[in-house]
Amino acid sequence: MNAAHPHALHASPAGWPGDIFFALKAARVRQVAYVPDGGHAELIRAIHADPAMIGIPLTTEEEGVALVSGAWLGGDRACLLMQSSGVGNCINMLSLVRNMGGPFLTFVTMRGEWGEFNPWQVPMGTGTPDAFRLMGVHVLRADRPEEVGPATAAGIRMAYEGGSAVAVLLAQQLIGAKVFVK
Amino acid sequence: MSQSLNRLDRRAVVARLLKDRGEAIVVTGLGSPTYDVAACGDHDRNVYLWGAMGGCAVMALGIALARPETPVIAVTGDGEMLMGVGSFATIAMQAPKNLTVVILDNGLYGETGGQASHTLVADLAAIAAASGIADARAIDAMGDVEGLATRATALGNAPCVAVVRIGQAELERVLPTRDGHAVRARVRQSLGLSID
């Protein structure tokens, strides 16, 4: 995969993306599916650079729900990285998680909730926690960098040890509102 | 009508495909493909989907990446696949050698009243090929199903997508369990994994 991801080499995640990366690695998570997001860029680079992990780019987020369920049927731990706009795309596919059970873990970078310039991000940003709850996914949240590690650890424990469906929301303040320059 | 008379019988296709399935894991797309696989007899390594439309092939990808030495076969329909055509590109990016996606294409939504599907105008094998699937086949004859069965139940060089053109007859429904938790436990046990 590194041929397709030349920038993956020499990645060394730090800060809260590093907290997520090293926790996933310690939990032996192997398949990491994602729809790219700027807030996840550093984590995605680190995953592609790690030979013990498979980075799986998706064309749409609901693919990731099905893929994560399949990975676990086959014996792999897996998780899904996306931004809040993708959560709505997952709604019906989450019936797979409800019906088959098993761990489901996703890390969602939030847009449209704090100083967002782009109003098209706001409806799904506002609706993200409710969308997850509607489909029975437990929601954890980190607003500050020092909260990411504990929220990740809690999510990993609930998903891979308890078999629960868990979303960890990463607040927009962590990433910063995207700046559009005219 | 004359065209549909010459098309393959879906049950015969799936029966031939799975006759010597060996260790293969089979994921079924909701609707008729689930019934077709069930009609071949229940199996510990069958993953029956009754929903999650559009997710069959990419769920099979997750299994295939987790078990690179085990053949994984997705058996789905044209309508289900149309809802997840992006999965062709997702599969091509990973290029698992143990994954075959078999699309039973009757050109209609049989479960909901037989409305025409987009394969009237859209060519799923060509879409797969254009999405980076090097081995994308269109199959119209039982002789080619033989070759597909050989490929699907072994490890190849790259993922395979096969669009099998089948007749439009509505057949008796053979209903497997709808209990996804039971299916999950059974498949994992058959792989030597804990049920949870």
Side-chain angles (χ1 to χ4, degrees):
Chain A
M1 284 303 288
N2 280 342
H5 301 276
H7 302 296
L9 301 173
H10 312 299
S12 53
W16 64 263
D19 293 342
I20 298 175
F21 174 73
F22 290 111
L24 292 176
K25 205 168 159 46
R28 304 180 315 283
V29 175
R30 183 155 175 267
Q31 298 187 36
V32 182
Y34 64 87
V35 172
D37 179 51
H40 277 316
E42 200 177 337
L43 179 56
I44 289 167
R45 274 194 296 272
I47 285 156
H48 279 293
D50 192 309
M53 290 176 158
I54 308 174
I56 304 164
L58 308 167
T59 68
T60 177
E61 292 83 359
E62 66 262 41
E63 286 179 7
V65 178
L67 185 124
V68 163
S69 293
W72 186 72
L73 268 187
D76 267 359
R77 288 181 170 182
C79 73
L80 169 61
L81 313 180
M82 60 180 157
Q83 66 168 261
S84 47
S85 54
V87 174
N89 294 346
C90 296
I91 291 275
N92 180 56
M93 202 61 82
L94 285 166
S95 58
L96 181 52
V97 175
R98 290 289 295 274
N99 272 278
M100 295 200 107
F104 175 75
L105 181 61
T106 181
F107 294 87
V108 180
T109 46
M110 295 301 296
R111 294 282 310 272
E113 67 167 11
W114 185 272
E116 177 68 58
F117 167 86
N118 181 355
W120 295 72
Q121 287 281 355
V122 176
M124 204 55 236
T126 305
T128 284
D130 288 339
F132 277 129
R133 288 180 184 126
L134 203 57
M135 292 308 285
V137 178
H138 185 77
V139 176
L140 301 172
R141 183 178 171 92
D143 286 302
R144 294 192 299 274
E146 64 271 23
E147 293 172 351
V148 174
T152 300
I156 283 174
R157 181 137 195 246
M158 291 177 77
Y160 302 127
E161 293 177 38
S164 294
V166 182
V168 179
L169 308 188
L170 303 164
Q172 190 161 15
Q173 293 101 305
L174 287 168
I175 293 112
K178 190 170 176 177
V179 177
F180 290 83
V181 181
K182 285 188 180 174
Chain B
M1 194 62 195
S2 62
Q3 186 193 13
S4 95
L5 282 175
N6 295 327
R7 285 183 156 207
L8 297 174
D9 173 75
R10 59 187 309 147
R11 293 277 157 89
V13 167
V14 176
R16 178 61 196 90
L17 183 70
L18 301 182
K19 185 166 69 117
D20 302 309
R21 62 184 281 176
E23 299 291 304
I25 300 166
V26 179
V27 185
T28 73
L30 80 168
S32 299
T34 287
Y35 315 145
D36 294 333
V37 171
C40 297
D42 196 19
H43 195 287
D44 282 353
R45 294 193 176 190
N46 284 354
V47 181
Y48 305 113
L49 298 181
W50 284 83
M53 189 163 176
C56 180
V58 76
M59 184 179 190
L61 173 65
I63 303 174
L65 293 174
R67 316 289 301 190
E69 303 304 319
T70 306
V72 179
I73 310 170
V75 179
T76 191
D78 48 312
E80 203 274 347
M81 197 68 241
L82 283 161
M83 200 176 277
V85 282
S87 340
F88 289 145
T90 297
I91 290 166
M93 288 280 274
Q94 299 301 320
K97 298 176 174 182
N98 57 332
L99 177 60
T100 303
V101 179
V102 178
I103 302 155
L104 303 170
D105 181 6
N106 61 358
L108 50 79
Y109 292 89
E111 194 70 8
T112 53
Q115 300 87 350
S117 98
H118 308 67
T119 59
L120 201 62
V121 294
D123 180 341
L124 280 168
I127 294 171
S131 303
I133 302 288
D135 185 354
R137 314 176 181 188
I139 291 181
D140 291 295
M142 275 309 278
D144 293 332
V145 177
E146 300 272 335
L148 175 62
T150 303
R151 164 63 191 89
T153 53
L155 305 182
N157 297 316
C160 172
V161 170
V163 180
V164 184
R165 286 190 270 257
I166 56 162
Q168 297 188 331
E170 200 171 338
L171 303 175
E172 181 201 359
R173 291 179 180 178
V174 180
L175 309 181
T177 180
R178 278 146 287 162
D179 186 338
H181 290 80
V183 165
R184 168 200 92 199
R186 197 168 67 160
V187 169
R188 282 182 54 98
Q189 275 186 314
S190 85
L191 295 169
L193 302 165
S194 66
I195 61 169
D196 62 355

